Amino acid sequence: MSELSEVLGSLMISLVHARRLADEETAAVAEYYKDHPLLEGMSLPRVRVPELTIDMPLTINQHIPAKNAELDSPANVHKALMSHFNQALDDEDILSRTKSFQHNFDREARAALDKVTERQRNGDVRISKESMVRAVDEAFQKALKKSGSDKEVPFERLSAVNKQVRHNVSAIALKSRSTPPAIKTSVVSSEVKETATPQNSIRLNITIREEGLEWATGIENGQTKNKLMPE
C-alpha cells in the first residue's frame, strides 16, 4: 500500500523526468545537426507533453485522520525561553543592567504563553508555533515599553535580541508536530484485481499540465542573481 499523495507525486515526478530525458535527447540531436552540412539549417525536433490525462483504477484501503500538533506546557516553554534569553543577554551584553526589563519580560512572557495555551485548549485557535512566537514577541515589546529600555538601547541591538527570542520560541514551542490526513491506496494491477469491491474501488482520472521554467540572469544590488522564471 502507498499513500495517495505518494502516487500522485510519483506521476508528476515521472512527467518531469520524461521532459528531462526528452530535452537531453534534443540536445544530442542538436549537436548532430550542427555537424551535418545538410541538417544544420533545419529546425530541431523537440517533443513536449503540454497535457497528460491518466485514467487509473485504484482501491482505497485506509483513511488515516490528521493529528494535531501538541504544544509543550507553558511552564516548560517559559523556562527554556528565559534560559536562552538570559544567556543571550550575557553573551551579547544587551540589557544586562536593565533588571526592570528582565522582570517585566519574565512576567509578560509567562502570561502570554498561558493565554495562548488556554485559547488553543478551548479550540478558539489552531495550535501552531507562530501563535506562540507572536505572543512572546508582543510580551517582548510590552516589557520594553514598561521598562523604558526601548529608549535606552540602540534599535539594532534590540532587534538582534528580539530575533533570537523569536527563533528560540519557534524551536521549543511544540512537543509534537501535526500530521495531515492520509489515504492508503493500492495501484498495482494485481492487487487492485484481487481486492477491488464496489465499496473500495474507484477510477482516478487525472489531467497533468506541463509548465516550463528557464533560468534568467539579472543584477540585484550589484550581484548577479539566477532565477527560475516561466518560459
Side-chain angles (χ1 to χ4, degrees):
M1 289 191 299
S2 302
E3 288 190 11
L4 182 58
S5 59
E6 294 177 338
V7 174
L8 298 177
S10 296
L11 292 175
M12 289 185 282
I13 290 171
S14 295
L15 182 58
V16 171
H17 284 283
R19 169 75 183 271
R20 174 183 63 83
L21 292 173
D23 284 346
E24 287 177 352
E25 190 61 29
T26 298
V29 172
E31 292 287 343
Y32 177 79
Y33 272 39
K34 182 184 67 173
D35 296 332
H36 196 290
L38 298 179
L39 297 177
E40 61 180 351
M42 295 184 179
S43 60
L44 290 171
R46 187 188 184 206
V47 177
R48 296 185 61 180
V49 184
E51 186 172 294
L52 177 66
T53 300
I54 301 173
D55 184 18
M56 180 175 61
L58 54 83
T59 58
I60 304 297
N61 301 318
Q62 183 183 6
H63 172 257
I64 302 176
K67 178 184 176 183
N68 292 328
E70 182 182 358
L71 289 176
D72 206 340
S73 68
N76 288 342
V77 175
H78 178 263
K79 181 179 179 181
L81 170 64
M82 295 310 298
S83 176
H84 286 299
F85 177 72
N86 291 332
Q87 185 65 37
L89 295 184
D90 291 339
D91 291 346
E92 301 293 337
D93 192 29
I94 303 173
L95 309 178
S96 58
R97 297 182 180 179
T98 314
K99 299 299 181 183
S100 174
F101 169 78
Q102 297 182 45
H103 174 75
N104 280 307
F105 179 62
D106 182 278
R107 184 176 57 188
E108 293 288 348
R110 187 188 301 273
L113 292 170
D114 286 337
K115 184 177 179 179
V116 170
T117 303
E118 184 62 27
R119 289 183 62 195
Q120 294 184 338
R121 186 182 296 117
N122 294 334
D124 295 339
V125 294
R126 187 176 180 179
I127 293 176
S128 67
K129 291 192 296 184
E130 184 60 23
S131 58
M132 282 283 200
V133 171
R134 293 187 181 187
V136 172
D137 187 47
E138 290 178 5
F140 187 91
Q141 301 303 328
K142 287 181 180 179
L144 283 176
K145 292 180 179 179
K146 286 185 178 180
S147 64
S149 299
D150 56 335
K151 299 177 182 178
E152 299 175 6
V153 181
F155 174 78
E156 293 77 11
R157 305 190 78 186
L158 288 177
S159 296
V161 173
N162 194 13
K163 182 178 180 180
Q164 187 166 1
V165 166
R166 292 174 63 88
H167 174 75
N168 289 338
V169 174
S170 180
I172 62 181
L174 294 186
K175 187 175 182 180
S176 63
R177 298 180 179 274
S178 62
T179 56
I183 296 176
K184 292 290 186 179
T185 182
S186 294
V187 293
V188 179
S189 298
S190 59
E191 294 179 359
V192 173
K193 290 179 180 179
E194 292 174 1
T195 61
T197 66
Q199 290 74 32
N200 73 347
S201 61
I202 63 172
R203 297 194 71 87
L204 196 62
N205 190 277
I206 310 169
T207 298
I208 302 175
R209 292 183 177 86
E210 175 190 340
E211 294 183 0
L213 298 174
E214 61 184 7
W215 286 106
T217 303
I219 305 297
E220 291 184 10
N221 299 324
Q223 295 183 338
T224 302
K225 299 288 186 179
N226 293 319
K227 293 183 179 180
L228 285 173
M229 306 291 289
E231 288 181 330

